[in-house]
Amino acid sequence: MAFTEKRRLERYNLQVPARLWPQLPDEAARKLVTQDISSAGAFFKNEACLPIGIRVRLEMMLDVSAIKKLPASHCGTVLVSVTGKIVRSGRERAGIGVRFDKAFTMRPSKE
């Protein structure tokens, strides 16, 4: 069975370190890395599945040092915080798909 691409936004093959907090009882934060990302969501490689439809909180560490138009004081790593919902989860692709909510925050990272 062929896979049909349904996404309308461009996705980037970008590995971004992240922490994901599932909004489930007794679930701790998970350290993950994106496999691909867009402005609407991301796919994380992960062996463990999470239930589709649950809410999550994410923090992603973006390296912005290569962006030449930023002032020198803004170079380094930026912490992006966003919430979202699990829309894909399974062992066949070994990962978790998250659709981001529209609101997010960005701040310089202390790490």
Side-chain angles (χ1 to χ4, degrees):
M1 182 170 160
F3 177 74
T4 303
E5 182 62 54
K6 297 178 184 176
R7 298 179 184 119
R8 292 178 296 206
L9 298 170
E10 186 171 359
R11 291 184 87 70
Y12 299 94
N13 182 11
L14 187 62
Q15 287 69 51
V16 178
R19 286 181 291 206
L20 180 143
W21 287 267
Q23 293 183 354
L24 291 171
D26 303 321
E27 283 284 340
R30 298 168 187 231
K31 288 186 178 183
L32 304 171
V33 176
T34 62
Q35 177 178 314
D36 59 58
I37 191 167
S38 77
S39 61
F43 185 79
F44 299 89
K45 279 292 200 186
N46 189 39
E47 295 300 320
C49 298
L50 287 170
I52 292 174
I54 69 160
R55 306 282 307 153
V56 295
R57 182 171 61 92
L58 286 162
E59 288 184 346
M60 295 177 284
M61 303 294 290
L62 294 178
D63 180 3
V64 295
S65 60
I67 301 173
K68 305 284 187 234
K69 293 182 181 180
L70 289 175
S73 63
H74 289 90
C75 289
T77 306
V78 172
L79 181 68
V80 179
S81 299
V82 65
T83 56
K85 180 168 74 169
I86 303 288
V87 294
R88 287 182 188 76
S89 183
R91 295 197 192 323
E92 73 180 43
R93 287 195 62 207
I96 299 167
V98 176
R99 180 180 305 136
F100 301 148
D101 294 336
K102 292 185 191 247
F104 65 91
T105 60
M106 291 178 72
R107 65 181 186 272
S109 173
K110 295 176 182 157
E111 294 181 25

